[in-house]
Amino acid sequence: MDLKNGSVVTEFILLGFSGQWELRIFFFVTFSLIYSATVLGNVLIMVTVTFSSTLHSPMYFLLGNLSFLDMCLSTVTTPKMITDLLSEHKIISIWGCMTQMFFMHFFGGAEMTLLIAMAFDRYVAICKPLHYRTIMSHRLLSGFMILSWIIGFIHTMSQMVLTVNLPFCGPNVIDNIFCDLPLVIKLACMETYTLELFVIADSGLLSFICFILLLVSYIVILITVQQKSSGGLSKALSTLSAHMIVVTLFFGPCIFIYAWPFNSFSGNKVLAVFYTVFTPLLNPIIYTLRNQKMKEAMRKLQFQNVIST
């Protein structure tokens, strides 16, 4: 997959955040702290799920994998964005740009599939509790994980195989904090209308369909619980609220970005920051602070570590 011979652009310029030096320092410190908290929080969840015997259940297995994907998704873009805040020349090589876009859509597509698997897990746990262990077997969980990685790979390759061979011979300025696929496509020295429509269908429509499927699944769960027991509705709402918050905040910016992907608007960078910086932090915050079982498992592991030392 080599660039065409007519290509003369070897690097792109990311405009990122401009402004006064004091404001950029503020963003640098803020985003550095958020990214550090994201990595530490998600690593803490993965370690707790792995070593705590009380969390060896399908729900926490999926949660641990979600933490891994969140951390990877944030790492693809955030460190580069942070270092660019202190640089006057925000440059990324064309292959660095392609790599960034590849892994963004790879981890993003995998996470969409994993969130659907987590919704199915909650449906079985709430609506079919007596058959939960039988249905959510190790074989099914392994299948969910393999499927999420496969869908992520197909999702990113279906777009990158067409993008990587585009000729870039003119403008090389990307008005964003990272290499955003729709904006990169617009810089190609050829007609890209068909490819633009494909990106909308592949990324935007996929995000929208997954989001609708997840909302429908939650509505089905709530209706089922209400029909069985009116008292169980509040418990189901409490259980699903964390999932609904994560789903809404994950898919919301993504759908909005790809609903109008080829038009610049003032909030584009804000949505990009929210999607890649803030959303990955929500996983450890929501699932740790609201989950008593997770907090107890963390305290137990900490106590065991103190005893062992």
Side-chain angles (χ1 to χ4, degrees), residues 200 204 254-263:
I200 295 175
C254 186
I255 293 172
F256 192 84
I257 289 173
Y258 283 98
W260 296 275
F262 302 99
N263 297 317

Side-chain angles (χ1 to χ4, degrees), residues 36-254:
S36 299
T38 298
V39 174
L40 291 175
N42 283 296
V43 168
L44 182 60
I45 288 179
M46 289 186 288
V47 170
T48 304
V49 170
T50 302
F51 293 101
S52 176
S53 58
T54 60
L55 301 182
H56 289 173
S57 66
M59 171 185 168
Y60 293 103
F61 173 81
L62 296 173
L63 176 58
N65 283 275
L66 179 64
S67 294
F68 176 75
L69 290 175
D70 274 337
M71 184 178 64
C72 291
L73 185 62
S74 180
T75 301
V76 171
T77 59
T78 306
K80 170 64 176 171
M81 180 199 68
I82 292 174
T83 56
D84 281 346
L85 286 169
L86 301 181
S87 175
E88 295 296 333
H89 305 286
K90 305 173 180 63
I91 296 173
I92 184 171
S93 69
I94 189 168
W95 286 111
C97 186
M98 296 297 169
T99 302
Q100 194 177 67
M101 292 188 296
F102 174 88
F103 283 108
M104 275 192 65
H105 288 269
F106 177 51
F107 293 127
E111 185 161 340
M112 291 181 192
T113 309
L114 185 62
L115 287 171
I116 293 177
M118 293 179 71
F120 178 76
D121 170 76
R122 291 301 85 202
Y123 168 77
V124 176
I126 295 174
C127 299
K128 300 180 182 295
L130 298 179
H131 304 284
Y132 179 69
R133 287 290 183 178
T134 303
I135 297 176
M136 299 301 297
S137 61
H138 290 292
R139 182 176 181 180
L140 181 61
L141 290 174
S142 300
F144 277 146
M145 293 313 307
I146 294 173
L147 181 63
S148 67
W149 289 104
I150 291 176
I151 290 180
F153 183 77
I154 293 175
H155 170 63
T156 192
M157 283 300 297
S158 64
Q159 299 178 97
M160 294 309 301
V161 74
L162 301 175
T163 306
V164 76
N165 283 317
L166 289 175
F168 298 97
C169 56
N172 67 336
V173 177
I174 302 174
D175 188 14
N176 209 330
I177 60 173
F178 56 79
C179 286
D180 191 19
L181 182 59
L183 298 180
V184 171
I185 290 175
K186 284 184 69 68
L187 299 177
C189 301
M190 61 176 290
E191 176 58 47
T192 58
Y193 179 74
T194 303
L195 182 56
E196 291 174 6
L197 291 180
F198 178 75
V199 169
I200 295 175
D202 195 346
S203 294
L205 194 59
L206 175 63
S207 301
F208 182 73
I209 290 176
C210 289
F211 180 64
I212 294 300
L213 287 175
L214 287 167
L215 288 183
V216 169
S217 69
Y218 293 143
I219 292 173
V220 170
I221 292 174
L222 294 176
I223 292 176
T224 304
V225 171
Q226 187 177 28
Q227 291 176 344
K228 290 184 176 181
S229 172
S230 58
L233 185 60
S234 59
K235 183 178 179 180
L237 280 172
S238 176
T239 304
L240 293 178
S241 60
H243 296 272
M244 288 189 285
I245 292 173
V246 171
V247 166
T248 302
L249 295 178
F250 176 81
F251 283 99
C254 186

Side-chain angles (χ1 to χ4, degrees), residues 27-39:
F27 284 147
F28 174 82
V29 174
T30 301
F31 294 152
S32 296
L33 291 175
I34 292 175
Y35 177 67
S36 299
T38 298
V39 174

